[in-house]
Amino acid sequence: MKLKQFYQQTHDLIQLLKVQFPHITVQMLTLAFCRSTPNFIVLFGYSRILDLLLTSQFQAAIQVVTIMLVSSYLLSFICNWIDSYLQGYEFITDEVIMSQVNYMSFTMRYDIFEDNDSMQKVRAVSNRMNATGGTGSFLQIIILLCTNLFSVLYAFCFVGYLFYQAMQYSFYLVLLLLLAVGCICLGVMILKRTSAYYEDLNKRNIHNNSVFSYLLTTMVNVEYKKQMMINRMGQLFEKYFKNIIKTFHVYLDFSKRKGRYESVYNFVLSIFGACTYIYIAYLSLHGYLSIGSVLLYAGAIQQLIQYISGCIISYSDAVFQLDYLNYFTYFLHDESIRTTGSLPIEKRNDNAYEFCFENVSFHYPNSEQLVLSNVNLTFKIGEKLALVGQNGAGKTTIIKLLCRLYQPTEGRILLNGIDIQKFDFNEYTKIFSPVFQDFSMFNISAKENLECGHHNEEKDINAIIADVGLEKRFTSGHDGLDCVLEDLNSEGVKLSGGEAQKLAIARALYKDAPFVILDEPTAALDPFSEAEIYENFDKLVGGKTAIYISHRMSSCKFCDRIVVFKDGKLVEDGNHDSLMHKQGEYYTLYQAQAEYYQQ
């Protein structure tokens, strides 16, 4: 990892934390300064005291001692004070970062979440954060790196002044400078090799970390426990664990290689230190340095060697963690993965929102097979329209494109004559009240599940609950709609599949959007129950524009218009009677299903 890239990614990460902790940068730098300064104050103080005592300047020596102790204690107090703040941050920085990612996820395109490569990287970060201490641990490494850099700067100042005092011995000075440059070049080379190996190691273990995390989570998940126990899957999981453990040797190999690099580098630094000590002794013998100065410069050289080595190690450790953490900043700064558009949606009391598909084709990323091919379709205002066809015909894809969960590969979709991609996404979604096949209930109260964070004063929640047939379910318990769904706590309520479907429908009715969608949320029910729910829902939505999706023809007989899809193409368009009279695809499907259910 290049130094510029390291700085930029570290800066981006700290900027995320500054949203919650505005002074964190100043606090980190101040802590690093306060940790590095006392060592050199004491070193300079001791050398000065020694010279004063040798010349019998006892009062001046006492003054130096006083200044040295007061400044050291003051810096130590400030250091402990700031450190207590940063230690408090350390426990919550991961949550702060994750909350930023979660919040920003609302602006990310839906298809990004279906991209395995992208989401695997995010999961890899979470797994690695758990293993290495996460952002808090990374901040401590950065503080240590800054401390080492401050210390190196102090040491260089002392050593530089030493060289300045003995410029007449330029030959020896040039040799020492060349040796110092050689040490720096060797350190840079080691850093490059170590960083490159870190990056390669991280990439190779992203998959292993994800699998390891999945296995641990699955083994304690009650949803999978029955299958695992009945089918005795312990041996299968054990095999996967053993395969992953076999790959852990790469970390040991890396530690050995890193240890060899650091040993060689420390040995070279020791040679540089020994040469400098000889130089200091030579200057002292010729009267250019006092006894105290010998102590000062010898200590400065020792500190320089120690802290240069510390910089190498802390930088390597920071790169190792940052290679995982930078996936967060990637998601938070990559504008290409966000929803586009800025136009507001026109507020209309007449709900006159008309959508039009113009030559729309679509294929999923990393696939060339068209799911939809050259679709032209208009959703008329106030119309009850059914999309029917066999599984895989493209019905749900139409809805995902309409709701801007995907973008057309070719063609465009218009809302009242304007391309829907130009509208602000949050504004645009206010038009729709969808009930998807894979609808979700969250581990929050039933009321919050129904409202989804929006309070509609024009709608009576209790009346809606009664309309969908859930009034008994949520009036029998003492908490009513405030009861927590699922098993978030010991008093959580577990809804049946049918009750969850009704609550999802109630959610769509409560939103009261001008465009409602029922996308096969009842696919697990028998055809007669599904048809009954569809017809009841149609009565509840009144005069709104509605789309009903089903692969069962009988569920949508009541609709004004039926559009039939086959292999991604719109093949028929009409009402039930006209399509039955035509005896085409709809007729064939309807008759086949009718015969099946009559058996």
Side-chain angles (χ1 to χ4, degrees), residues 120-370:
Q120 188 180 49
K121 291 177 181 178
V122 175
R123 290 191 292 268
V125 178
S126 300
N127 296 338
R128 192 61 191 171
M129 285 171 68
N130 295 331
T132 62
T135 315
S137 177
F138 175 75
L139 292 180
Q140 290 299 326
I141 294 174
I142 294 299
I143 293 171
L144 178 60
L145 177 59
C146 292
T147 302
N148 289 329
L149 289 174
F150 275 124
S151 299
V152 168
L153 181 61
Y154 280 126
F156 263 123
C157 289
F158 284 121
V159 173
Y161 186 67
L162 167 65
F163 288 163
Y164 173 76
Q165 284 183 301
M167 289 296 293
Q168 63 270 38
Y169 296 95
S170 58
F171 175 73
Y172 301 103
L173 181 60
V174 169
L175 289 179
L176 284 175
L177 289 175
L178 289 175
L179 184 57
V181 171
C183 290
I184 294 173
C185 292
L186 179 62
V188 171
M189 183 183 69
I190 290 175
L191 272 178
K192 286 184 177 180
R193 290 194 175 187
T194 305
S195 299
Y197 197 84
Y198 266 138
E199 293 176 8
D200 179 64
L201 181 66
N202 290 341
K203 290 176 182 178
R204 284 190 291 165
N205 282 280
I206 282 178
H207 175 71
N208 286 341
N209 290 336
S210 296
V211 172
F212 192 74
S213 178
Y214 171 77
L215 293 175
L216 291 177
T217 303
T218 303
M219 289 177 66
V220 296
N221 192 323
V222 67
E223 299 293 334
Y224 300 102
K225 200 62 180 177
K226 288 188 295 184
Q227 294 296 328
M228 292 174 61
M229 294 180 67
I230 293 174
N231 294 304
R232 302 179 64 185
M233 295 177 65
Q235 294 181 349
L236 176 63
F237 274 58
E238 184 181 4
K239 180 188 74 173
Y240 280 106
F241 272 117
K242 287 182 177 179
N243 290 336
I244 292 176
I245 291 173
K246 288 179 182 178
T247 66
F248 287 170
H249 73 276
V250 296
Y251 289 102
L252 180 60
D253 293 341
F254 173 71
S255 296
K256 292 179 179 178
R257 180 177 300 188
K258 183 171 179 284
R260 288 196 296 268
Y261 285 156
E262 292 176 357
S263 297
V264 171
Y265 189 60
N266 287 331
F267 177 72
V268 174
L269 287 177
S270 298
I271 293 176
F272 172 71
C275 293
T276 309
Y277 288 145
I278 294 172
Y279 183 59
I280 292 172
Y282 179 81
L283 294 176
S284 178
L285 289 174
H286 286 75
Y288 288 100
L289 296 179
S290 65
I291 299 299
S293 295
V294 171
L295 175 65
L296 171 63
Y297 294 129
I301 292 298
Q302 182 64 37
Q303 298 280 29
L304 181 63
I305 295 171
Q306 175 185 340
Y307 289 117
I308 287 179
S309 179
C311 285
I312 298 293
I313 295 173
S314 55
Y315 181 82
S316 298
D317 292 341
V319 167
F320 182 58
Q321 285 197 305
L322 190 60
D323 195 51
Y324 281 96
L325 296 175
N326 63 23
Y327 290 125
F328 281 133
T329 57
Y330 160 75
F331 273 92
L332 294 177
H333 292 88
D334 186 1
E335 295 298 327
S336 66
I337 65 176
R338 307 201 186 289
T339 56
T340 58
S342 58
L343 291 180
I345 293 292
E346 181 185 7
K347 304 297 188 295
R348 301 186 64 104
N349 295 327
D350 58 0
N351 291 335
Y353 299 100
E354 183 175 271
F355 290 89
C356 180
F357 280 58
E358 288 188 350
N359 304 315
V360 171
S361 296
F362 176 77
H363 63 75
Y364 288 97
N366 304 320
S367 172
E368 295 299 326
Q369 183 178 358
L370 288 176

Side-chain angles (χ1 to χ4, degrees), residues 60-156:
I62 292 174
Q63 292 176 351
V64 173
V65 170
T66 303
I67 294 172
M68 182 180 70
L69 292 177
V70 170
S71 58
S72 296
Y73 287 146
L74 179 61
L75 289 171
S76 178
F77 171 77
I78 297 173
C79 182
N80 292 332
W81 183 36
I82 297 176
D83 194 32
S84 64
Y85 275 99
L86 292 177
Q87 285 182 357
Y89 296 165
E90 185 175 348
F91 295 104
I92 57 176
T93 49
D94 289 341
E95 285 72 16
V96 171
I97 294 293
M98 287 302 298
S99 66
Q100 289 286 317
V101 173
N102 292 335
Y103 179 77
M104 295 300 290
S105 69
F106 288 107
T107 68
M108 294 179 188
R109 301 198 318 267
Y110 174 80
D111 58 296
I112 294 298
F113 291 90
E114 291 192 337
D115 180 47
N116 288 330
D117 291 338
S118 297
M119 299 314 296
Q120 188 180 49
K121 291 177 181 178
V122 175
R123 290 191 292 268
V125 178
S126 300
N127 296 338
R128 192 61 191 171
M129 285 171 68
N130 295 331
T132 62
T135 315
S137 177
F138 175 75
L139 292 180
Q140 290 299 326
I141 294 174
I142 294 299
I143 293 171
L144 178 60
L145 177 59
C146 292
T147 302
N148 289 329
L149 289 174
F150 275 124
S151 299
V152 168
L153 181 61
Y154 280 126
F156 263 123

Side-chain angles (χ1 to χ4, degrees), residues 318-510:
V319 167
F320 182 58
Q321 285 197 305
L322 190 60
D323 195 51
Y324 281 96
L325 296 175
N326 63 23
Y327 290 125
F328 281 133
T329 57
Y330 160 75
F331 273 92
L332 294 177
H333 292 88
D334 186 1
E335 295 298 327
S336 66
I337 65 176
R338 307 201 186 289
T339 56
T340 58
S342 58
L343 291 180
I345 293 292
E346 181 185 7
K347 304 297 188 295
R348 301 186 64 104
N349 295 327
D350 58 0
N351 291 335
Y353 299 100
E354 183 175 271
F355 290 89
C356 180
F357 280 58
E358 288 188 350
N359 304 315
V360 171
S361 296
F362 176 77
H363 63 75
Y364 288 97
N366 304 320
S367 172
E368 295 299 326
Q369 183 178 358
L370 288 176
V371 181
L372 292 176
S373 178
N374 198 35
V375 173
N376 289 278
L377 176 63
T378 299
F379 298 91
K380 299 176 182 178
I381 300 168
E383 183 179 55
K384 303 298 187 292
L385 184 144
L387 302 180
V388 300
Q390 295 184 356
N391 289 333
K395 307 182 300 294
T396 296
T397 304
I398 284 282
I399 299 305
K400 288 183 176 180
L401 288 171
L402 186 65
C403 293
R404 284 183 60 185
L405 299 179
Y406 293 111
Q407 295 182 17
T409 305
E410 296 179 10
R412 59 179 185 163
I413 306 172
L414 305 178
L415 167 58
N416 293 345
I418 301 174
D419 192 327
I420 63 173
Q421 303 301 327
K422 295 181 179 181
F423 292 105
D424 177 83
F425 184 78
N426 290 329
E427 283 276 314
Y428 182 78
T429 55
K430 294 178 181 179
I431 297 177
F432 299 98
S433 285
V435 185
F436 295 111
Q437 180 177 351
D438 53 349
F439 63 85
S440 301
M441 290 294 123
F442 304 96
N443 296 149
I444 52 181
S445 71
K447 183 178 180 181
E448 289 171 320
N449 266 285
L450 192 150
E451 293 181 342
C452 288
H454 305 286
H455 182 64
N456 189 345
E457 296 181 353
E458 297 180 0
K459 287 292 182 178
D460 184 351
I461 290 182
N462 293 322
I464 292 175
I465 289 296
D467 287 337
V468 299
L470 287 175
E471 69 278 8
K472 292 182 180 179
R473 183 68 175 87
F474 292 111
T475 55
S476 58
H478 65 279
D479 288 333
L481 284 171
D482 292 324
C483 67
V484 177
L485 298 189
E486 300 294 327
D487 48 1
L488 185 66
N489 56 36
S490 58
E491 299 180 357
V493 174
K494 181 76 172 179
L495 297 181
S496 67
E499 290 171 336
Q501 288 167 348
K502 291 178 180 179
L503 188 59
I505 292 173
R507 176 193 294 164
L509 294 172
Y510 180 81

